[in-house]
Amino acid sequence: GCDEHAAQELVAYAKQLLEQACDEKLLLSVSFGTATAETDDPSFDQLFKQTDEAMYAEKRKAHEEAAER
């Protein structure tokens, strides 16, 4: 695992790599969700739910930003 800052850096790097790999004819949008364990023994379901909620929040944010352009 990694801390929240490291996870955000990893997401930014992955997005950058995906954008560079696609040519200008392909519009690519990716959304990642991250979650941090609040306890020493989080359940998979708890972390999955947090990650899923974070991913959909990012998707909504990206759609709103695209609509403003």
Side-chain angles (χ1 to χ4, degrees):
C2 58
D3 65 20
E4 186 173 357
H5 178 73
Q8 293 298 330
E9 285 184 346
L10 181 60
V11 166
Y13 180 66
K15 285 182 178 183
Q16 180 184 21
L17 287 177
L18 289 167
E19 289 171 0
Q20 290 173 354
C22 296
D23 62 28
E24 293 179 11
K25 295 179 184 177
L26 176 67
L27 176 61
L28 176 69
S29 174
V30 295
S31 298
F32 291 90
T34 60
T36 55
E38 301 293 326
T39 65
D40 289 338
D41 189 25
S43 71
F44 172 82
D45 291 338
Q46 177 186 10
L47 284 176
F48 184 82
K49 182 180 179 203
Q50 290 173 348
T51 301
D52 198 46
E53 289 171 355
M55 180 188 65
Y56 281 102
E58 284 297 312
K59 286 178 133 340
R60 282 189 298 277
K61 179 181 167 186
H63 285 284
E64 290 169 2
E65 289 173 357
E68 292 175 359
R69 290 185 214 146

